[in-house]
Amino acid sequence: MFTTTGSRGLYKAPLCKGLLLVLNGLTVMLTLLPQYQHLFIYSLQAVTQQHQVWRLLCGRLVCLDVKDAFCSSLLIYNFRIFERRFGTRKFASFLLGAWCVSALMDFLLAQAFQFLFDYEVEELPAGLLAPVFSLFVPFYRSIPTTPVTQVLGHIHITNKSLVYIVGLQLLTSSPFMWLLALSGLISGGLYYSNVLRLQKLLFVPVWVSCIGRYILEPIFSSSQPTNETPLGMGATLDIQRQQRMDMLDQQLLLAQYNEARRNIRPQRQAGLLQWTRLFPSLRHRGQNRPPVQPHPQAHTQPPLLDNSPVAEEQVAMLVEMGFSRIDALEALRASNNDINMATNFLLQH
């Protein structure tokens, strides 16, 4: 997993799992049966001059290049967090809207390129590429950036760096991939910001969502992952050690956060347990000191958190990401108004 944005695997992401299995399966089949690849070529000239409108569907779904299929699959797997957070229907509506708008943008950008440079773009890379690039818009705007480490003391590595590297690899895979990337970013920005009320015009109907829930979701659903999460691979021993410290820190904080929520629900007005004061962050401790495990107290009641002030703009940011206002307030108070820590707690809870 590239980012710390939720539990591992494809749990609660049946659409992403279906896209990965079906589209990659078709890519493998077309690689083994090259005589059928001409049916899936994304030819703008064939659409405009020969009126082969069906190429908009076939040419903009299945990748003919294995490298493009691999990079787009990595991005879809990483962007599954949006389906898990906002629901399958809303995620499918975003992909549908971005797919339709980007189809129009492909022709407009191709015509603009021909007008400026007197060069006609006849074919574009095939596959679900523009909608994948459109997902970078909510990824950039709604997922907070958390620093991980530094390279050479100046280059900052964050939880988003590998995702952008994979996107850059996909961008440089073919000469006109930049046109699809620009088309996807424009369409994703238009749909995400709801310009021209696109979210009211392009969406998945409820009846289609119900059919998919009862027919397709049992096929592509994944079992709930276990509580144990494997450690990520670090480039050096220092990075691996830091990852273990961060993971242990999150497990302690999440455990205390869950216990506090159970104690708070009968009397919510009493506040939330300030577990960040009880357990300081392990990443700020010495490298050679082992982490100290908390000792449970049998007959003492945990102290309660007073109603500490919370920045309203941070609450609004979490609410826009899909969390409830009550959970956002509790997470911000429990994390001492640390927006990154509060987001990670809510996403993993």
Side-chain angles (χ1 to χ4, degrees):
M1 186 171 59
F2 293 109
T3 58
T4 56
T5 51
S7 58
R8 60 190 176 95
L10 291 165
Y11 177 61
K12 291 186 178 180
L15 179 58
C16 290
K17 184 177 181 179
L19 290 176
L20 292 175
L21 293 178
V22 175
L23 298 184
N24 288 313
L26 291 175
T27 299
V28 173
M29 291 178 59
L30 291 176
T31 303
L32 300 177
L33 301 173
Q35 63 270 24
Y36 297 104
Q37 289 186 1
H38 69 279
L39 299 175
F40 294 88
I41 295 177
Y42 186 20
S43 175
L44 299 180
Q45 187 179 16
V47 175
T48 56
Q49 298 181 5
Q50 303 177 14
H51 305 288
Q52 297 180 358
V53 185
W54 54 270
R55 288 191 178 274
L56 290 176
L57 179 62
C58 297
R60 304 185 77 247
L61 283 180
V62 183
C63 292
L64 298 179
D65 194 333
V66 178
K67 298 188 299 297
D68 294 345
F70 179 74
C71 293
S72 60
S73 298
L74 289 179
L75 294 175
I76 291 175
Y77 178 79
N78 183 79
F79 292 146
R80 76 200 184 282
I81 181 60
F82 298 117
E83 180 181 4
R84 187 183 300 146
R85 183 67 260 171
F86 303 122
T88 301
R89 180 169 177 257
K90 188 174 181 180
F91 180 72
S93 298
F94 182 89
L95 290 180
L96 176 63
W99 189 89
C100 295
V101 176
S102 61
L104 177 61
M105 294 303 302
D106 290 347
F107 287 93
L108 294 179
L109 292 175
Q111 292 297 322
F113 185 80
Q114 181 179 1
F115 176 77
L116 293 176
F117 301 100
D118 195 19
Y119 183 87
E120 183 180 2
V121 181
E122 298 180 356
E123 294 182 3
L124 290 175
L128 194 71
L129 299 174
V132 170
F133 280 111
S134 69
L135 290 171
F136 275 98
V137 176
F139 180 74
Y140 174 78
R141 298 187 60 180
S142 61
I143 301 299
T145 301
T146 303
V148 177
T149 186
Q150 291 184 358
V151 178
L152 301 177
H154 300 284
I155 303 176
H156 295 273
I157 304 298
T158 67
N159 58 330
K160 295 184 177 182
S161 297
L162 289 179
V163 181
Y164 291 132
I165 291 175
V166 175
L168 182 61
Q169 174 65 33
L170 182 61
L171 178 63
T172 57
S173 62
S174 61
F176 286 101
M177 186 66 73
W178 65 267
L179 194 147
L180 292 177
L182 182 59
S183 173
L185 293 176
I186 293 175
S187 60
L190 293 176
Y191 194 88
Y192 185 82
S193 58
N194 200 18
V195 177
L196 303 177
R197 302 180 65 85
L198 291 176
Q199 297 181 9
K200 299 294 183 181
L201 299 175
L202 301 173
F203 61 93
V204 176
V206 178
W207 62 272
V208 175
S209 177
C210 293
I211 293 176
R213 182 181 301 114
Y214 290 106
I215 297 179
L216 298 179
E217 186 172 352
I219 300 176
F220 297 110
S221 61
S222 299
S223 59
Q224 185 175 2
T226 59
N227 294 328
E228 297 180 358
T229 305
L231 295 174
M233 292 296 296
T236 63
L237 293 178
D238 292 337
I239 296 178
Q240 294 181 7
R241 187 183 300 110
Q242 185 67 28
Q243 288 176 345
R244 291 186 178 91
M245 298 290 286
D246 293 342
M247 186 170 298
L248 182 58
D249 188 15
Q250 289 184 359
Q251 290 175 355
L252 288 175
L253 295 178
L254 285 173
Q256 197 67 20
Y257 176 70
N258 295 332
E259 182 181 356
R261 287 176 64 89
R262 289 193 298 267
N263 295 333
I264 284 304
R265 283 171 185 171
Q267 40 183 347
R268 184 174 294 273
Q269 70 278 4
L272 189 68
L273 181 63
Q274 183 67 346
W275 31 261
T276 54
R277 296 178 181 175
L278 296 178
F279 301 100
S281 178
L282 293 176
R283 62 176 62 91
H284 296 300
R285 299 183 182 181
Q287 294 289 340
N288 298 324
R289 295 178 58 187
V292 179
Q293 298 291 340
H295 299 283
Q297 298 179 359
H299 303 286
T300 60
Q301 186 70 17
L304 297 178
L305 173 68
D306 55 350
N307 293 327
S308 58
V310 177
E312 188 62 31
E313 58 271 11
Q314 294 182 345
V315 178
M317 185 182 303
L318 293 176
V319 172
E320 290 178 358
M321 293 174 61
F323 304 109
S324 65
R325 181 177 177 84
I326 296 177
D327 292 339
L329 288 172
E330 291 180 352
L332 286 172
R333 288 169 180 164
S335 60
N336 287 332
N337 292 325
D338 189 336
I339 184 66
N340 293 329
M341 185 69 70
T343 305
N344 287 331
F345 290 153
L346 291 173
L347 288 172
Q348 298 187 24
H349 183 261

